[in-house]
Amino acid sequence: KNLTKAVELATREIEGAYALAIMHNDEPDKLVITKRNAPLVIGIGHEEFYAASDIPAFIKHTNKAVYLNDNQIATLTPDKMDLIDIDNNKIEPKAEILPWEPVALSKLGYKHFMLKEIHEQPGAVLETAAYLSSEAGRRPLGEVGTLWRSGRYSRILATGMGSSFFTGSSLALLLGGSGVPAFCINAGELLHHGLDVAREDTLLVAISQSGESYETVKVLQTLNIPPERVVAITNTPGSRLAALSGHVILTKAGEERMTSTKTFITAWQ
């Protein structure tokens, strides 16, 4: 007779990846949501909440959000949100103010979003360059440089999926040309033979625009790589990849709705 408790008990039995939003006829004003190995974010409005896999679904209504971690359970009613873990421990939600405006998610007169985002690439490059030149951007870059010069690592391994994999491949080639031992492996492949290559003398660079790419996040979780050995390059500061990484280098491409364009070129910077 308690919907939240029922979801808590059910998720103990479920395996695999999922993002669930559950209602019941007896409690029409309540929504219980939970996730594992899949994106799920809560939008916080005025006396209302939104549950979605990504920000564009509710950005025109609110720019305040809470990213759920795996196995957390949120109970939403019109006037409040309660957050617990799978062991029924209460968690204080950490809300973030999203940097995107609704106008950024419109086509702005272009025929389609792909064309719009191609034309937004120069601005994204300038925004990212300005950030990386600022104190906030230089700090993680300096940390990574210090980490490599510490002598604890003999090589760099880049990983990612899709366009992020190609970014990693380019990074490995550039570093190799500068005399730094580096290579890139697709995150899906790394899951199968990662124990052989992700050894203690290897610094891992994980790349994901959303920071939620299943295989990339799963590499860190499965191989149990310490955060101090992980450098994340992502466009999403509140993502699971950022949370699992000791060093986070952000791109400033803004929201991207289509095939990677802005995020590819800014990650490549």
Side-chain angles (χ1 to χ4, degrees):
K1 294 184 178 181
N2 184 314
L3 185 59
T4 302
K5 186 65 177 179
V7 172
E8 176 194 332
L9 294 173
T11 52
R12 294 176 185 272
E13 306 296 327
I14 299 174
E15 297 182 359
Y18 57 80
L20 304 175
I22 301 164
M23 298 183 71
H24 193 279
N25 287 336
D26 293 342
E27 300 181 89
D29 292 329
K30 180 183 290 185
L31 181 68
V32 180
I33 64 174
T34 187
K35 59 159 285 223
R36 184 182 300 156
N37 296 325
L40 188 57
V41 60
I42 300 170
I44 304 174
H46 177 64
E47 296 184 349
E48 60 186 2
F49 296 92
Y50 305 87
S53 61
D54 205 356
I55 294 162
F58 58 74
I59 190 65
K60 67 179 180 180
H61 302 291
T62 179
N63 68 341
K64 193 175 181 180
V66 171
Y67 289 90
L68 250 63
N69 292 327
D70 282 354
N71 302 315
Q72 290 182 341
I73 302 169
T75 302
L76 308 177
T77 60
D79 58 350
K80 70 173 183 176
M81 170 176 58
D82 292 319
L83 186 62
I84 61 172
D85 62 20
I86 199 169
D87 295 317
N88 202 32
N89 297 309
K90 188 174 178 58
I91 301 170
E92 188 65 31
K94 294 182 180 180
E96 295 187 23
I97 302 300
L98 304 171
W100 302 307
E101 297 295 332
V103 67
L105 303 180
S106 68
K107 288 187 284 190
L108 295 177
Y110 289 99
K111 187 175 181 179
H112 46 71
F113 281 106
M114 185 72 178
L115 184 60
K116 168 181 174 284
E117 290 172 1
I118 288 172
H119 282 272
E120 287 176 341
Q121 287 182 106
V125 169
L126 291 174
E127 285 286 334
T128 301
Y131 170 74
L132 295 176
S133 299
S134 69
E135 182 179 352
R138 290 197 305 269
R139 188 182 306 113
L141 291 174
E143 290 174 356
V144 174
T146 301
L147 203 61
W148 176 251
R149 291 191 296 271
S150 70
R152 287 185 291 165
Y153 304 101
S154 63
R155 59 184 189 170
I156 293 174
L157 167 60
T159 190
M161 294 293 294
S163 61
S164 294
F165 168 70
F166 294 114
T167 302
S169 297
S170 299
L171 172 66
L173 287 171
L174 285 171
L175 291 174
S178 302
V180 177
F183 59 110
C184 181
I185 299 178
N186 180 286
E189 295 296 325
L190 188 56
L191 279 172
H192 294 287
H193 57 262
L195 291 176
D196 296 328
V197 295
R199 61 197 194 198
E200 291 186 2
D201 67 341
T202 302
L203 184 63
L204 181 68
V205 179
I207 308 168
S208 170
Q209 175 266 324
S210 65
E212 299 290 343
S213 299
Y214 174 79
E215 293 87 352
T216 306
V217 171
K218 196 68 175 176
V219 162
L220 305 188
Q221 295 174 330
T222 302
L223 303 184
N224 197 27
I225 301 173
E228 61 268 19
R229 285 176 48 203
V230 182
V231 179
I233 299 177
T234 182
N235 195 51
T236 313
S239 62
R240 285 188 296 164
L241 177 61
L244 290 167
S245 304
H247 314 276
V248 181
I249 299 173
L250 294 175
T251 59
K252 295 292 181 177
E255 180 64 13
E256 190 168 61
R257 303 186 67 166
M258 304 301 294
T259 303
S260 179
T261 53
K262 297 184 295 179
T263 53
F264 174 79
I265 197 168
T266 52
W268 206 86
Q269 284 181 264

